[in-house]
Amino acid sequence: MVGLPGTIAFDEFGRPFIILRDQDRQKRLTGADAIKSHIMAGKQIASTVRTSLGPKGLDKMLVSGDGEVTVTNDGATILKLMDVDHEIGKLMVQLSQSQDDEIGDGTTGVVVLAGALLEQAETLLDKGIHPIRIADGFELAASHAVKHLDTIAEPFPVTKDDTEPLVKVAMTTLGSKIINKCHRQMAEIAVNAVLSVADLEKKDVNFELIKVEGKVGGRMEDTTLVKGVVVDKSMSHSQMPKTLKDVKLAILTCPFEPPKPKTTHKLDVTSAEDYKALQQYEQEKFTQMVDQVKAAGATLAICQWGFDDEANHLLLQKELPAVRWVGGPEIELIAIATGGRIVPRFEELSPDKLGSAGLVREVAFGTSKDKMLVIEECKNTKAVTILVRGGNQMVIEEAKRSLHDALCVVRSLIKDSRIVYGGGASEISCAVAVAKEADQLSTLEQYAFRAFSVALESVPLALAENSGLPSIETLTELKSRQLSEKNNTLGVDCMLTGECDMKSHNVVESLHSKKQQIVLATQLVKMILKIDDVRSQNDV
């Protein structure tokens, strides 16, 4: 009986029943009340991020418990930093997170769609339709919408020679972000970074090779793409040379320190002679270490650990520039970029384990003491670093998040190079197709199909609202024009240019991302509709 939440008892007819433990201290919601409570929570979360959808979407400021401020309009980041207590709210947070992990973009759209589906489900429940029938109807409608997306998708050229189409897609992603004032430059940086590390034959992109570093100061326009590695460190001694050409790097994970006794014995120094002998021994060991590095042919030592002033002075004397306290991930990236091997012991150093780089330079920023080390012209040109500049830390963090979205979209296009048009155009087209299919159905699922069609329209509605347009009129006009002109590229004119054709605006989204949004939102709503009993600890 250990696994049961209570004890078993029998009534006078011998039928068993369970007496639950701590019933008085538990809160219980059942049936329609539970579903209504969940729908309410889901709608609340969706309405929070709804205003940050699209190029005219607003940002949110989130302040953590220790006063750290984040300003962002990235759906996944907003939800992750929000303090959500409700269980269903937490599921919505995970929904945007899974969209972020899989695609990287569309994290706000997927939550808005899930919220709209829940809202429609509420209306159907009030009509007396069983939640399971609604959930099944939604699933059928979602698969129909995804099939329709396949029919309206267009092939998209992805080549290293002509990057213009990819830049346009990256610009669509960055349109709603804080960095849209240097819109094109950022899009080009993202595209070039991905193409540098992409394997177009295998349709694979190794994100490990793209590092995004931020440095406060300078303008956002100063952001650059470095074909190499940028490390937030400087040379260990101020008198070491600031620029090195044709460098051979020794990448070490062992410290420049005399060996310590590995046992628990202690070393007693009882006289000045002993102390001098110990100092002499340490000096010899240091010299031996530096000589080993020099003998291997290294002209720069990159060390994961520190070394004391004595070793530092010796390195300067022996003319061996060195960098200390370089973190593990950076060490790995330097090894990949320079084609070197990470060496754990000085004895193992040999010329074939050294990395090579054409240029290593120390870059100083502004009038401050901030310095960074740039390793360029590497053997393996695939490792790249984006160095983001900005007025303050918040701007830089948001720029990093925005670039991450753009990098992810370019990656998903390399994996599946079909596109659909944004601005709510593909959602309206799917809504029309699903509503049309509903008229062919004779079963109860037709209600769910119609509700799904209305929910899909929530994305263009939100885009129009956020752009200051009359939402219902805009949507109705677009819908009728899509039907009459048979043109599924008509979407919400967020930039108020007077032109609704998204093709001419170059507002494109990856098909994979759009499909994922519909599928993930539907799965979550189906799961929520199937919950009819909630037990939680009553904290009151």
Side-chain angles (χ1 to χ4, degrees):
M1 314 305 343
V2 181
L4 288 172
T7 51
I8 285 194
F10 296 90
D11 62 9
E12 64 268 34
F13 301 108
R15 288 179 303 214
F17 61 91
I18 297 176
I19 301 169
L20 290 168
R21 270 191 225 117
D22 303 333
Q23 281 243 60
D24 53 333
R25 292 207 295 279
Q26 282 188 352
K27 209 164 45 171
R28 186 176 180 189
L29 273 174
T30 53
D33 287 344
I35 295 177
K36 286 278 173 69
S37 151
H38 298 158
I39 289 174
M40 183 77 179
K43 275 161 55 181
Q44 285 295 141
I45 297 280
S47 67
T48 308
V49 293
R50 189 185 165 98
T51 51
S52 63
L53 186 72
K56 295 282 173 79
L58 302 171
D59 290 4
K60 305 273 178 273
M61 182 187 272
L62 299 128
V63 186
S64 70
D66 52 2
E68 196 179 317
V69 179
T70 308
V71 177
T72 181
N73 79 349
D74 177 42
T77 310
I78 294 169
L79 291 175
K80 197 161 63 179
L81 297 175
M82 265 166 63
D83 199 1
V84 182
D85 276 343
H86 199 284
E87 310 75 42
I88 300 300
K90 286 178 181 161
L91 289 179
M92 294 290 259
V93 174
Q94 286 168 6
L95 168 73
S96 76
Q97 201 56 52
S98 62
Q99 175 77 13
D100 198 32
D101 294 343
E102 183 68 21
I103 310 289
D105 190 32
T107 49
T108 312
V110 72
V111 176
V112 170
L113 181 57
L117 282 170
L118 287 170
E119 205 170 316
Q120 291 304 314
E122 192 171 21
T123 318
L124 295 179
L125 285 167
D126 290 342
K127 282 184 181 169
I129 301 174
H130 193 278
I132 296 298
R133 296 299 293 269
I134 300 171
D136 290 347
F138 277 174
E139 192 157 34
L140 288 169
S143 65
H144 186 76
V146 167
K147 276 185 199 141
H148 179 70
L149 279 174
D150 278 331
T151 62
I152 64 169
E154 293 183 10
F156 189 78
V158 175
T159 59
K160 285 202 174 183
D161 310 323
D162 181 21
T163 57
E164 189 56 33
L166 282 172
V167 171
K168 283 172 181 165
V169 181
M171 282 171 77
T172 306
T173 306
L174 296 172
S176 60
K177 311 288 184 196
I178 195 171
I179 58 178
N180 63 2
K181 70 177 185 121
C182 37
H183 204 154
R184 186 173 182 89
Q185 180 197 350
M186 290 294 188
E188 283 174 358
I189 284 176
V191 170
N192 290 336
V194 173
L195 287 177
S196 297
V197 303
D199 186 336
L200 292 181
E201 285 168 20
K202 289 185 187 165
K203 298 197 168 185
D204 185 40
V205 178
N206 183 358
F207 258 18
E208 299 281 307
L209 297 174
I210 302 176
K211 189 161 168 265
V212 185
E213 276 280 351
K215 202 74 178 164
V216 176
R219 300 171 312 155
M220 213 181 275
E221 286 87 342
D222 297 336
T223 299
T224 50
L225 176 69
V226 178
K227 293 279 174 76
V229 186
V230 177
V231 189
D232 198 357
K233 298 281 170 223
S234 58
M235 294 291 185
S236 62
H237 199 292
S238 54
Q239 290 175 342
M240 285 176 181
K242 303 285 180 267
T243 307
L244 299 164
K245 285 195 168 62
D246 298 327
V247 188
K248 291 282 181 211
L249 291 93
I251 305 164
L252 307 165
T253 54
C254 41
F256 271 100
E257 283 176 1
K260 292 184 175 67
K262 291 282 185 292
T263 57
T264 50
H265 302 306
K266 67 174 198 271
L267 191 65
D268 285 333
V269 178
T270 50
S271 66
E273 283 73 33
D274 287 357
Y275 185 75
K276 276 182 183 154
L278 182 65
Q279 197 181 11
Q280 185 67 36
Y281 169 73
E282 285 189 1
Q283 188 87 34
E284 281 167 16
K285 273 290 170 192
F286 276 144
T287 313
Q288 189 188 334
M289 286 171 184
V290 177
D291 287 343
Q292 275 171 330
V293 177
K294 290 281 282 185
T299 54
L300 174 66
I302 303 265
C303 190
Q304 189 176 0
W305 304 105
F307 31 83
D308 58 18
D309 292 341
E310 199 172 342
N312 205 3
H313 176 69
L314 199 65
L315 286 164
L316 179 68
Q317 265 187 339
K318 299 261 185 183
E319 291 180 5
L320 178 63
V323 185
R324 56 182 162 188
W325 298 122
V326 180
E330 282 99 337
I331 281 265
E332 281 178 32
L333 209 57
I334 292 169
I336 293 167
T338 59
R341 295 280 295 278
I342 298 171
V343 181
R345 285 169 41 210
F346 286 102
E347 292 76 40
E348 292 177 25
L349 249 180
S350 60
D352 57 320
K353 289 184 181 173
L354 299 179
S356 57
L359 180 66
V360 175
R361 58 197 172 93
E362 198 175 274
V363 184
F365 293 102
T367 52
S368 66
K369 290 178 183 168
D370 267 354
K371 292 185 177 69
M372 283 182 121
L373 205 66
V374 181
I375 301 168
E376 290 174 297
E377 297 169 26
C378 302
K379 197 173 178 180
N380 175 6
T381 52
K382 283 200 164 184
V384 293
T385 307
I386 301 171
L387 183 58
V388 183
R389 306 298 311 279
N392 60 22
Q393 199 57 44
M394 267 187 300
V395 171
I396 286 178
E397 290 305 319
E398 178 64 354
K400 279 186 183 179
R401 281 190 287 271
S402 311
L403 276 166
H404 173 261
D405 282 11
L407 293 168
C408 289
V409 168
V410 179
R411 176 184 67 174
S412 70
L413 273 175
I414 286 173
K415 286 186 172 175
D416 179 354
S417 59
R418 288 174 298 165
I419 52 137
V420 289
Y421 287 90
S426 50
E427 278 91 350
I428 296 173
S429 181
C430 284
V432 170
V434 171
K436 204 171 173 185
E437 182 67 17
D439 297 338
Q440 313 297 319
L441 293 172
S442 56
T443 56
L444 199 62
E445 271 75 22
Q446 60 178 297
Y447 287 101
F449 264 71
R450 287 201 183 92
F452 195 90
S453 164
V454 175
L456 280 168
E457 290 166 5
S458 65
V459 173
L461 273 174
L463 284 171
E465 258 169 54
N466 293 347
S467 306
L469 294 163
S471 50
I472 306 288
E473 288 94 319
T474 309
L475 177 65
T476 321
E477 187 199 342
L478 285 171
K479 223 166 150 184
S480 66
R481 276 186 65 187
Q482 276 211 16
L483 283 166
S484 59
E485 297 172 27
K486 296 208 168 15
N487 179 3
N488 50 43
T489 63
L490 297 171
V492 181
D493 174 26
C494 296
M495 292 311 188
L496 315 178
T497 55
E499 173 59 70
C500 291
D501 193 345
M502 293 294 127
K503 210 167 194 170
S504 61
H505 282 312
N506 291 314
V507 178
V508 275
E509 292 185 52
S510 111
L511 170 69
H512 187 34
S513 165
K514 197 52 82 188
K515 274 185 179 175
Q516 192 80 4
Q517 281 184 37
I518 293 175
V519 171
L520 287 179
T522 312
Q523 276 176 1
L524 180 76
V525 171
K526 189 178 172 190
M527 182 172 146
I528 292 172
L529 286 173
K530 283 188 168 180
I531 303 169
D532 78 329
D533 193 343
V534 182
R535 296 183 163 276
S536 54
Q537 291 301 320
N538 196 352
D539 299 328
V540 181

